[in-house]
Amino acid sequence: MPDMLADMTSYHCPVDGTRSAITALTWCCPVCRGPWDLDFTPARGVAANALAGRADSLWRYKEFLPLDTSAISLGEGRTPLVPLTDTVSAKLDFLMPTLSFKDRGAVMLGELARRLGPDRVVADSSGNAGTSFAAYCARAGLPCTVYVPEGTSAKKTEQIRAHGSRLVTVPGGREATARAARTAADEPGVFYASHVFNPYFLHGTKTYAYELWEDLGGRLPEALAVPVGNGTLLLGVALAVAELRALGLITARPRLIAVQAEAVSPLAAAFRAGADDLLPVGAADLLRDGEGGADGLLPDDGTVPGGDAGAGGVPGPGGGAGAGGVPGAGGNAAGGAGGVEPATLAEGIAIPRPPRARQILAAVRESGGTFLTVPEDGIREAQRDLAARGLFVETTGVACWAAVRAGGDAVRGEVVVPLCGSGLKTGMAASA
């Protein structure tokens, strides 16, 4: 155990500076209950042309990773980049071992769990992260329980069970599922494989951008379109861009185009309102329906009819989300009026109150990017269009193509979209 843990660093809270050892199994900041960040600086002296001959997986970027090797790797990473138009290319992350991009982060968390040796692993997911964690825990020989919301695609739950994980279906939506998993995560000896709260996952997803940097000859495209629910791919990409710039390996910063489904778009609403964090519960609905103040925004005093906000306009205990978007005592974390989570075909990004909302909004703004939202019909059309091009992609995974093919100034120049999950996980979307 000591040798396996020798290269580990420590967690720190970006909000209040609290620190924790990696070995403590403390899944969130004990002060604010928000997500951890990681103390880690990549090694210098590695250029894109120095990578030839290395393992054809994400582990070829070992100098840039907090864990430089894995005993449970399934060869994840190094997915193809193929053109869709003269200016838009797609990275085929649905060709990962478990058929989704989540393998990038799951192998990192799975390896961390293997080294820590917990009694069991707990995860929550709308499906794809759960299948990834189930696979890597099976590879590591660790017992795993995956919590999913009712209505999760049957093929995803079948895959979770196939890998030997215990499946717990939670009544309600994605937020109720997260709360159930976090309750279990507080038990002794449990490693919470949270793709939201544990930063090791982000250090896995950042390899998406490192691969683009290598494949494009030591540069990145002008814009990167990324689907955003909890923001784990977007934040990983932003992390990679910051590291590559700090290392002097790139000079230009790509614009981040964050894509959400219109039906569940709390981050897009906050971005358009000029907010630094999520809007109070119900405010996003006002913005979407055009019932706010001037320009469709909130009233000038920042209030929402029927809503009580605490400091910073975020609902306090009993009224909605606490620190980091985690529900407060007696509160409701859902993004729709009355706490009902709106339905969308893009189930993988249907997250009403993402805990890393502040970081996501800041990353998009710092890049000079923006948020785009797509309607359900746009998702259906994009899935059919990709299938006609030979690419069978699940409904969440086509969201970026739906946004980019709609055009507009936001998607000018060279753009890369990720195709995040295989169509075998959901099938084709039914007609409206």
Side-chain angles (χ1 to χ4, degrees):
M1 176 84 68
D3 290 339
M4 288 196 301
L5 305 183
D7 58 350
M8 291 191 185
T9 175
S10 61
Y11 297 131
H12 74 268
C13 175
V15 175
D16 55 46
T18 301
R19 309 187 77 81
S20 174
I22 304 297
T23 54
L25 298 184
T26 307
W27 62 267
C28 70
C29 173
V31 176
C32 72
R33 301 289 284 181
W36 291 120
D37 281 351
L38 190 67
D39 290 331
F40 175 74
T41 302
R44 290 186 173 273
V46 181
N49 58 10
L51 300 172
R54 291 192 177 187
D56 195 28
S57 72
L58 63 80
W59 297 100
R60 70 197 280 114
Y61 309 108
K62 60 183 181 179
E63 290 89 352
F64 307 117
L65 299 174
L67 301 175
D68 65 3
T69 187
S70 173
I72 60 171
S73 174
L74 292 167
E76 54 287 319
R78 299 293 294 146
T79 54
L81 184 66
V82 301
L84 295 179
T85 72
D86 289 343
T87 59
V88 181
S89 296
K91 191 158 173 58
L92 310 190
D93 261 26
F94 67 88
L95 298 179
M96 290 284 192
T98 75
L99 308 182
S100 92
F101 87 95
K102 294 290 177 62
D103 290 355
R104 294 184 183 276
V107 69
M108 197 69 63
L109 273 185
E111 175 60 24
L112 177 61
R114 185 190 72 84
R115 297 187 187 197
L116 294 176
D119 295 333
R120 65 188 180 104
V121 174
V122 165
D124 61 278
S125 170
S126 58
N128 282 337
T131 62
S132 283
F133 288 130
Y136 286 106
C137 282
R139 185 87 165 159
L142 292 170
C144 179
T145 300
V146 179
Y147 292 77
V148 300
E150 58 184 355
T152 298
S153 301
K155 287 297 182 183
K156 294 179 182 179
T157 58
E158 179 183 3
Q159 191 176 2
I160 291 168
R161 288 193 180 99
H163 292 306
S165 284
R166 176 174 171 251
L167 183 73
V168 177
T169 302
V170 180
R174 188 65 183 84
E175 297 295 323
T177 304
R179 289 195 293 272
R182 291 166 194 167
T183 297
D186 284 329
E187 298 173 6
V190 173
F191 178 86
Y192 183 25
S194 172
H195 54 296
V196 182
F197 279 76
N198 195 304
Y200 274 85
F201 194 91
L202 305 182
H203 283 271
T205 60
K206 76 181 183 185
T207 59
Y208 174 90
Y210 276 100
E211 289 178 17
L212 288 175
W213 164 75
E214 182 184 1
D215 289 344
L216 295 176
R219 65 176 184 88
L220 290 174
E222 294 172 73
L224 292 166
V226 186
V228 177
N230 274 311
T232 55
L233 182 54
L234 183 140
L235 290 174
V237 167
L239 182 61
V241 170
E243 290 176 349
L244 287 166
R245 293 185 76 203
L247 294 169
L249 296 173
I250 60 170
T251 54
R253 170 187 280 176
R255 304 186 316 278
L256 298 181
I257 303 170
V259 178
Q260 295 205 287
E262 278 185 3
V264 189
S265 52
L267 290 160
F271 183 87
R272 291 165 184 165
D276 293 330
D277 205 342
L278 296 172
L279 300 175
V281 175
D285 293 330
L286 292 179
L287 290 175
R288 188 166 54 237
D289 298 337
E291 297 178 5
D295 301 318
L297 302 182
L298 295 176
D300 291 338
D301 61 0
T303 60
V304 181
D308 298 320
V314 179
V326 180
N332 194 305
V340 178
E341 295 183 18
T344 175
L345 292 167
E347 63 181 4
I349 53 173
I351 310 296
R353 309 293 294 180
R356 292 188 184 268
R358 292 185 69 89
Q359 292 177 315
I360 296 166
L361 291 165
V364 173
R365 287 194 175 103
E366 289 169 6
S367 76
T370 191
F371 274 82
L372 299 176
T373 58
V374 292
E376 299 303 292
D377 283 346
I379 293 172
R380 292 186 181 92
E381 291 167 8
Q383 189 184 37
R384 289 194 293 267
D385 179 78
L386 286 172
R389 297 167 184 263
L391 300 166
F392 189 29
V393 185
E394 69 167 319
T395 46
T396 299
V398 307
C400 287
W401 178 233
V404 169
R405 72 194 292 259
D409 183 64
V411 296
R412 66 189 183 278
E414 182 188 20
V415 183
V416 172
V417 301
L419 302 183
C420 296
S422 170
L424 295 174
K425 288 173 173 279
T426 61
M428 293 295 290
S431 300

